[in-house]
Amino acid sequence: MNVGIIGSGGREHAICYMLNKSKKVSEIFCFPGNAGTGMIAQNISLNPDNFHELEKYCLEKKIKMLVVGPEKPLVNGIVNHFKDKSIRVFGPDKISSKLEGSKIFTKKICKKKNIPTSKFKICENLNETIDFLENSNFPLVIKADGLASGKGVYICKDFNEAKIASEEIFNGKFGVAEQILIEEFLDGEEMSYFIVTDGKNYKFFGSAQDHKRVDEGDKGKNTGGMGCYSPSRLLNDDLEFKIKTKIIEPTLSAINEFGGNYKGFLYVGLMIKNGEPFLIEFNVRMGDPECQTILPTLNTDLIDIFTSCCDGTLKQLEINFSKSKSICVVLCSKGYPEKFEKNIEIKNLDQLKLLENENIFHAGTLKTKTGIVSNGGRVLNFVSTSDDFLKSRIRVINLIKKLNWKNGYYRRDIGHKVIKI
Ligand code: AMP
Ligand code: GLY
């Protein structure tokens, strides 16, 4: 079968790598992909938000399945566009994607289904927001409702910060804002939990802990993710039972009641406090870099998972993961997440000899006539799996040192909570 993958990050390169290993997959096309996917698949530079153009191309190249990496095409309704056509799309439909596309939609589901989450208030305009904030205790969390590329969340320690955040949101920093979400601040430890579902049944798809801050010790600016370890140290049978029964199952049932059809990955962003899970957010896709961290531990053919979700036969499929400890360290451009240079050559990449259980997944890279250059903030993902987190991290860091990319920056402490040295 010919398969198309939408997206250009490390997540999509990891998906591409796994599909390329499958005997059931013939050609892979990436829309638009990166230098890494270009080595094992065909990169196609058409705009994947133009569903008509995409459809035409898929028909021409006999692409029978599209796998959607990022949230935007899902929220924009790519699954609905391809409904009843000969091309299957792995991903949730437009209604279901509101779980990520509208934080207020998700909060309303939490309220309806009694799902544990932070207390919240929805305000309709700036005056109402300010009135509410004047009578609130801090810290508080203020959120823009819609997609904001991970930037629409403000943790506010006092009234002034909250006022500025609310003004920015209502002034349209993240698009037209008709409402705003104010949340109680939850303390605890974060964990990412993943499932895959065909709309009727769901299965576990890994757990992970992302390190979002740019500096070691989890300090500094927020980023898209500087590295990750999997499995999460917090997961146990009791917690997992609570996550499934109190959060995932009521949510999937609410989506069905709304008439949604959820086929795809669901990323459950949680805060764990005293052994209790609280929902922070849903994403309707795999995480990045969680995907790069988890997929190398998957023993089941990934195309079988995608196919069974599209066909509604997930119940019959067994999904197996190895028991390995996986670490992913992101090599980013110096200066990220603020100002950084692009188009810096990455020499030696093809000289690195990878052992079994080692992977390099590309993110912001581009192949030019002279070689591979950086093309974004997060550039390469180095992943290693072994029976021990420390061993995995040492291997990854040795590889990064061997590459010796002068414009690169990375955190040496990924997984510090599970690695005591
Ligand atoms: P979100 O985009 O909703 O995941 O928020 C981004 C990050 O903000 C999360 O990963 C948390 O670190 C933090 N965050 C969001 N909501 C809360 C909350 N209610 N309490 C504490 N931290 C939060
Ligand atoms: N790693 C965070 C995310 O994918 O949103």
Side-chain angles (χ1 to χ4, degrees):
M1 181 183 5
N2 290 352
V3 181
I5 301 171
I6 295 174
S8 62
R11 171 181 49 210
E12 288 76 21
H13 186 193
I15 291 172
C16 189
Y17 165 81
M18 295 300 284
L19 292 181
N20 190 48
K21 289 205 296 193
S22 171
K23 291 198 173 59
K24 296 172 188 164
V25 174
S26 329
E27 282 183 85
I28 308 175
F29 299 83
C30 293
F31 305 99
N34 56 39
T37 63
M39 293 178 206
I40 50 176
Q42 292 184 51
N43 285 348
I44 308 299
S45 67
L46 64 75
N47 175 9
D49 289 321
N50 185 336
F51 302 151
H52 287 284
E53 208 183 317
L54 186 63
E55 183 184 346
K56 220 173 105 201
Y57 190 86
C58 288
L59 290 172
E60 198 182 302
K61 297 290 178 185
K62 299 192 169 50
I63 295 172
K64 293 289 177 208
M65 179 175 299
L66 277 172
V67 180
V68 188
E71 63 280 7
K72 195 164 157 244
L74 295 168
V75 171
N76 288 342
I78 188 167
V79 171
N80 300 62
H81 175 90
F82 282 93
K83 190 166 183 273
D84 301 326
K85 297 193 172 145
S86 61
I87 302 151
R88 292 183 281 187
V89 185
F90 175 80
D93 64 5
K94 197 169 180 174
I95 295 181
S96 313
S97 301
K98 281 183 84 175
L99 285 177
E100 180 165 0
S102 167
K103 292 183 191 296
I104 291 177
F105 173 79
T106 296
K107 281 294 196 193
K108 287 181 177 164
I109 287 185
C110 289
K111 195 164 174 196
K112 187 173 167 204
K113 296 282 180 182
N114 214 5
I115 292 171
T117 186
S118 55
K119 293 197 193 92
F120 66 98
K121 163 88 181 156
I122 298 160
C123 290
E124 312 284 330
N125 56 52
L126 191 57
N127 284 343
E128 188 192 350
T129 309
I130 302 291
D131 282 349
F132 180 81
L133 293 174
E134 275 171 347
N135 298 302
S136 299
N137 294 323
F138 288 86
L140 272 182
V141 185
I142 309 243
K143 296 184 179 181
D145 181 37
L147 290 186
S149 311
K151 296 198 173 72
V153 175
Y154 298 76
I155 314 276
C156 305
K157 63 178 182 310
D158 55 35
F159 172 80
N160 270 342
E161 284 185 9
K163 183 168 177 274
I164 292 169
S166 315
E167 283 167 353
E168 286 188 359
I169 292 172
F170 276 117
N171 284 339
K173 187 164 178 186
F174 308 101
V176 178
E178 284 169 357
Q179 290 178 315
I180 202 168
L181 180 62
I182 305 171
E183 284 184 17
E184 161 204 23
F185 177 82
L186 290 173
D187 58 345
E189 202 174 319
E190 282 185 65
M191 178 181 126
S192 307
Y193 185 90
F194 299 89
I195 60 147
V196 67
T197 172
D198 64 358
K200 295 180 289 198
N201 292 286
Y202 71 92
K203 298 226 159 137
F204 172 70
F205 206 75
S207 70
Q209 175 71 57
D210 183 12
H211 293 267
K212 284 194 172 160
R213 305 292 198 92
V214 70
D215 295 328
E216 289 178 5
D218 295 321
K219 299 201 169 67
K221 292 249 171 201
N222 221 27
T223 71
M226 294 298 293
C228 196
Y229 74 84
S230 171
S232 163
R233 74 183 184 118
L234 300 173
L235 197 59
N236 57 50
D237 289 348
D238 180 47
L239 179 64
E240 185 158 24
F241 180 77
K242 289 174 184 162
I243 296 169
K244 287 176 167 175
T245 54
K246 294 183 172 190
I247 298 177
I248 294 172
E249 286 160 21
T251 300
L252 294 178
S253 114
I255 288 296
N256 280 335
E257 287 162 27
F258 274 106
N261 188 11
Y262 202 121
K263 293 173 186 290
F265 294 121
L266 177 65
Y267 169 148
V268 189
L270 298 160
M271 190 69 86
I272 312 299
K273 193 178 177 184
N274 303 327
E276 292 297 321
F278 293 86
L279 179 72
I280 300 181
E281 63 161 351
F282 282 125
N283 294 311
V284 295
R285 51 174 173 79
M286 270 309 278
D288 183 333
E290 290 92 332
C291 187
Q292 299 88 297
T293 318
I294 292 171
L295 282 187
T297 68
L298 177 68
N299 290 330
T300 309
D301 190 332
L302 188 57
I303 196 70
D304 286 342
I305 298 175
F306 293 155
T307 309
S308 66
C309 281
C310 290
D311 295 351
T313 55
L314 183 64
K315 194 174 181 182
Q316 287 92 286
L317 184 77
E318 208 179 299
I319 302 182
N320 285 312
F321 291 95
S322 75
K323 297 245 175 297
S324 344
K325 311 278 191 271
S326 181
I327 292 260
C328 169
V329 177
V330 175
L331 182 64
C332 61
S333 301
K334 257 183 206 155
Y336 171 79
E338 294 180 273
K339 255 182 83 173
F340 58 85
E341 278 184 72
K342 285 189 190 176
N343 292 315
I344 311 285
E345 192 181 354
I346 311 167
K347 289 187 202 136
N348 302 332
L349 205 45
D350 50 0
Q351 307 296 316
L352 290 184
K353 296 272 171 287
L354 298 180
L355 298 174
E356 204 190 335
N357 302 335
E358 290 179 346
N359 289 98
I360 299 176
F361 296 123
H362 289 226
T365 62
L366 189 70
K367 189 169 191 273
T368 65
K369 282 193 191 103
T370 50
I372 291 175
V373 299
S374 60
N375 184 38
R378 292 191 294 166
V379 180
L380 294 167
N381 302 266
F382 290 74
V383 187
S384 174
T385 61
S386 74
D387 57 0
D388 179 70
F389 280 121
L390 176 60
K391 216 193 277 177
S392 300
R393 190 171 76 186
I394 289 173
R395 282 199 195 163
V396 155
I397 290 182
N398 282 342
L399 276 175
I400 298 178
K401 282 185 179 156
K402 264 193 213 147
L403 179 69
N404 193 23
W405 184 46
K406 294 285 183 282
N407 196 48
Y409 165 78
Y410 66 98
R411 274 181 62 171
R412 294 162 301 175
D413 69 338
I414 298 303
H416 60 81
K417 287 200 172 139
V418 282
I419 300 174
K420 297 278 173 255
I421 40 170

